[in-house]
Every structure is written in structure tokens, then in C-alpha cells.
Amino acid sequence: MINAVRRTLFDRGSWAEAGRIADILRKETLGGALLLAGAAAALIWANSPWSAGYEALRRVTVGPAALHLDLDLATWAADGLLAIFFFVAGLELKREFVAGDLRHARRAAVPVAAAVGGVLVPAALYLLLTRGTAGAAAGWAIPTATDIAFALAVLAVAGRFLPAALRTFLLTLAVVDDLIAIVIIAVFYTADLAPVPLLAALAPLAVFTALVQRRVRSWWLLLPLAFAVWALVHASGVHATVAGVLLGFAVPVVRSRRAGGLEAGPGLAEHFEHRFRPLSAGVAVPAFAFLSAGVTVGGLSGLATALTDPVALGVVAGLVLGKPIGVMAATWLVSRFTRARLDDGLAWVDVLGLALLSGIGFTVSLLVGELAFGAGTERDAHVKLAVLAGSLAAAMIAAFVLRLRGRAYRRIHEIETADLDHDSVPDVYQDPSPADRA
């Protein structure tokens, strides 16, 4: 009698895919360090005797008034720079599901389910804790997003030997999180929709799509079209970051048949990702953090007042409790219904560590807070402090849990490193052979 092959959670993917993920994580880890530096600088400045200068900087207006783009720097950071962040997220998500390891439903099921669970549970917990508080329901989506750069900065310190499959899981979960977040922003945080500019945005988007499908890379053609799409989406009332995702989805992942197709190596999406990820991680996200995280605390009494606001409590609980519960529950359910087991050497405490890391919600959480309650309002200030407090708490707890398994991660890392010492490396778009997986 032949035993059925049992499904495995968090098994290793192809070698080239692991190398590509490692390269992404290195860039995002540096971006996380810059993000933390930007947020710290903003907090220090906003609580110094020169805090008026920080607010004056955020309110500096630049841009052409004729196009209704005379926006202050804080708005440019939230609407403009984060469009680059979501463009890269769109590229990454499409690449993963078209040509990456996650094109296989078996591999995609776990991070996608975990991302969905990590959105539903914190949102429900937030609404439960803020029920009866006037206007609080608008912020239900604040604790639902994971900040991959911040999370990877923590991972670089506390889990540097974390197995490649778990790193890939965290990255994919965060990317799917971002996609869900942008859908939430487009659907639930669009107050006044102007259909004419939104329909007009389809024209430059169609031209951009046609050019990239023909593998055109000329920046002097593509950037003006991308800017036109962004400006028209911004004018429509839909948050302008949606334009970034649409543009990312338009870029082809694989080479044309004439150029060799799937087996010929990286396509235009990966080319753009290499170009724009450093700009996103190194400039766009840290600049947004610097221009958004600065909030006057008002000493211990001010901090206590802010964090006892039901909205703030809901945000902290959603990040520290809701995210890990949602991620863990969804992952366990996938394991239960597919009868899958964890890969050799892994334990559920490892999944718990990653689930706790997913509670680090910074960039998108701050953005949703501004959209929900209005930038600069008292409640927005409470949200910012709650996001900072919740993210730091999640980071510290996750670091503690991951440290407990440090020796096990080192053993797995040694095995994976030894396995990489072979003569033949599969193509970046090919599945690993049985010999590679042995």
C-alpha cells in the first residue's frame, strides 16, 4: 500500500526564488531602519521647543495650482510618495502569483488566508472595543495592515537566521495585506467620487499598459503617463495610491514568446521592481514616516489621555492581539482542513512569532488614520500614538518569541546554506527538481 504524500506548510521553495526573496528582504530591512529613523526624528522634533517648525514644514505648499496639485508636503507624502510604495507592492504581488512560487495554489493558500484573517479579526476587535463611541467606527481598518519594512527591521535583529520559507511567508502576507488595504481605502475611504476624472484616467493607463506590454522601458514615455494616471485618480476623489497599484498590475511579469517566454528569466515587472524598490524603501516610506509620525505627546499625562481613548485602545488591541490571533487562526485552519503539517524543524511557536510581527502596522495604519479622522485632528494624534505604541509592543513581544528559537533557526540556516553549495541552480522561474528538494 502506497502512503499518500502529505502536505507540508512552510517547505522550501525553489533556490532562485529564495535568493530573490533574500535580496528583497535586505532592501526592505534597510528601509525599515530608515523608517524608524524618520519616525524617531519626527517625534523628537514635534516634542521639542522647535515643534512649530515641524508643523510649518508639513504645511509648506508646492505644486501647480492650475492642475489643483498645490498640496502641502504632508499630503504629497501620503498621496504621492506612497503611490510609489503601492506601485512596488503591485509589481511584487503580480510577480508572485504569475511566476513565483505562489503561482501554485497550495503555496498561495497559507499566506493569503493568513492575510485575510489578519484583517478580519483586528477589525472586529476594534469595533467591539469602540462600540458606543461616536465616530469611532470610521477607524476600523487602522489595525489591519502590516508594515513589512518595520517588521523586517525587527527581524534583522531578532530573527536573522529565520528559515527562508518563513521569511517568504511574512513578505507575501504583508504584500497581500497591502492589496487588501488599498481595496479598503478605495472602497471605504472615498468620500466624494468624481467619475469624469476617474474615467479619464483610463486613457493614460491604457497607453501605459500598451507600452509596457510591448516591453517599452523608456522613462520619458512611461513616467508622464504614470503621472497623468496618478493626477486624474487624485482628482477623482479616490485615494491616489490606488493609481500605483493599477500601474503595477499593468506591467507584464514574463518575457514575450519571441524573447523566450517564461523560461527566459525575469521580465519587465522584476526590472521595474529592482529600479523602484530602493526608491520606495529608502525614500518614499521614510519620508512619509517623517512627515506623518510627528505628534505632540504632552508628557506622561498627555500620553495617558491619548492611550485611554477607546479608539486608541481599539488600535493597540487590534495590532497586538487581533493581528496575531487572526493570522494564527487562519494558518491553523488551513493546516486543519488540508491535513498539512509543518516542515521539519519548525513548530507552531515559529508561526506565532511571525503572527506577532504582523502586528507591526505603521505606514498604512497612519495613512488610514488620517483618512478616517482627518490629518491634524486630536483623534488622529491619538491614533498615531496608538499605532506607535501597538507596533512597538508587537515588535518587542515578537522579538522575545523569536529569540526563544534562535538555536533551532541557526541549525536550519546551516542546513539551507549547505544545500546551496551545488553546481546546478534551477532557473528563476522553474520549479525545484526532486533532487534539489531532497
Side-chain angles (χ1 to χ4, degrees):
M1 181 177 177
I2 300 175
N3 292 328
V5 176
R6 192 171 184 181
R7 295 179 181 271
T8 304
L9 295 182
F10 308 117
D11 54 336
R12 283 179 287 170
S14 61
W15 298 118
E17 182 75 357
R20 192 186 71 83
I21 293 295
D23 181 60
I24 291 174
L25 296 180
R26 280 192 294 270
K27 294 175 182 177
E28 291 289 356
T29 300
L30 175 60
L34 294 174
L35 181 153
L36 294 176
L43 280 171
I44 293 170
W45 192 357
N47 290 278
S48 73
W50 306 279
S51 58
Y54 176 77
E55 287 301 321
L57 176 64
R58 295 181 76 249
R59 298 289 174 253
V60 170
T61 301
V62 294
L67 299 177
H68 303 289
L69 292 176
D70 47 338
L71 310 173
D72 58 45
L73 291 182
T75 304
W76 273 113
D79 290 13
L81 291 179
L82 284 192
I84 301 173
F85 168 80
F86 279 109
F87 174 69
V88 174
L91 291 172
E92 172 62 21
L93 187 67
K94 184 177 180 181
R95 207 217 74 85
E96 282 295 332
F97 283 96
V98 171
D101 281 352
L102 296 180
R103 69 185 184 275
H104 305 295
R106 178 179 63 85
R107 286 186 176 275
V110 179
V112 170
V116 172
V119 169
L120 295 178
V121 175
L125 185 57
Y126 172 91
L127 291 173
L128 178 65
L129 293 176
T130 59
R131 68 189 188 283
T133 303
W140 66 271
I142 295 171
T144 62
T146 298
D147 193 293
I148 188 60
F150 195 164
L152 290 177
V154 175
L155 199 61
V157 176
R160 54 180 301 198
F161 296 111
L162 195 72
L166 294 179
R167 291 173 181 267
T168 303
F169 168 76
L170 179 62
L171 178 64
T172 309
L173 184 155
V175 172
V176 177
D177 238 9
D178 289 337
L179 177 64
I180 296 173
I182 203 65
V183 171
I184 289 173
I185 289 170
V187 174
F188 296 99
Y189 293 97
T190 299
D192 300 310
L193 179 64
V196 174
L198 187 61
L199 291 173
L202 297 177
L205 178 62
V207 177
F208 179 91
T209 303
L211 289 174
V212 294
Q213 289 296 326
R214 294 176 65 87
R215 277 61 180 180
V216 173
R217 302 185 183 188
S218 303
W219 65 267
W220 53 274
L221 278 175
L222 299 180
L223 284 184
L225 289 168
F227 180 79
V229 175
W230 176 87
L232 288 167
V233 172
H234 180 272
S236 73
V238 176
H239 199 268
T241 51
V242 173
V245 175
L246 295 176
L247 291 165
F249 283 169
V251 180
V253 170
V254 299
R255 293 176 179 266
S256 64
R257 290 184 179 179
R258 187 175 58 183
L262 189 66
E263 288 75 25
L268 195 57
E270 193 161 341
H271 169 76
F272 282 171
E273 188 184 330
H274 282 305
R275 291 291 183 88
F276 283 94
R277 188 176 292 279
L279 180 62
S280 170
V283 178
V285 173
F288 170 77
F290 176 72
L291 290 169
S292 298
V295 57
T296 302
V297 176
L300 292 177
S301 60
L303 183 62
T305 299
L307 294 182
T308 52
D309 182 345
V311 168
L313 291 174
V315 170
V316 173
L319 292 173
V320 179
L321 296 176
K323 288 291 285 187
I325 290 173
V327 171
M328 283 290 291
T331 305
W332 183 83
L333 286 172
V334 171
S335 171
R336 176 75 173 175
F337 285 111
T338 62
R339 297 183 179 180
R341 61 174 176 80
L342 296 176
D343 199 22
D344 293 339
L346 298 181
W348 280 103
V349 68
D350 304 320
V351 185
L352 175 61
L354 294 184
L356 289 164
L357 272 180
S358 73
I360 299 176
F362 192 83
T363 306
V364 178
S365 294
L366 292 179
L367 174 62
V368 174
E370 292 182 356
L371 295 174
F373 300 115
T377 62
E378 181 182 18
R379 181 147 281 172
D380 179 46
H382 293 176
V383 166
K384 288 179 179 178
L385 289 173
V387 169
L388 290 169
S391 297
L392 287 174
M396 288 188 291
I397 299 171
F400 173 77
V401 172
L402 292 173
R403 285 285 189 182
L404 295 176
R405 293 274 291 164
R407 291 183 179 179
Y409 297 154
R410 281 187 174 88
R411 287 196 298 270
I412 297 173
H413 177 74
E414 289 172 0
I415 295 172
E416 290 182 341
T417 304
D419 285 346
L420 285 173
D421 186 19
H422 53 76
D423 296 328
S424 176
V425 178
D427 184 81
V428 67
Y429 290 107
Q430 293 178 346
D431 292 329
S433 66
D436 290 325
R437 299 294 298 276

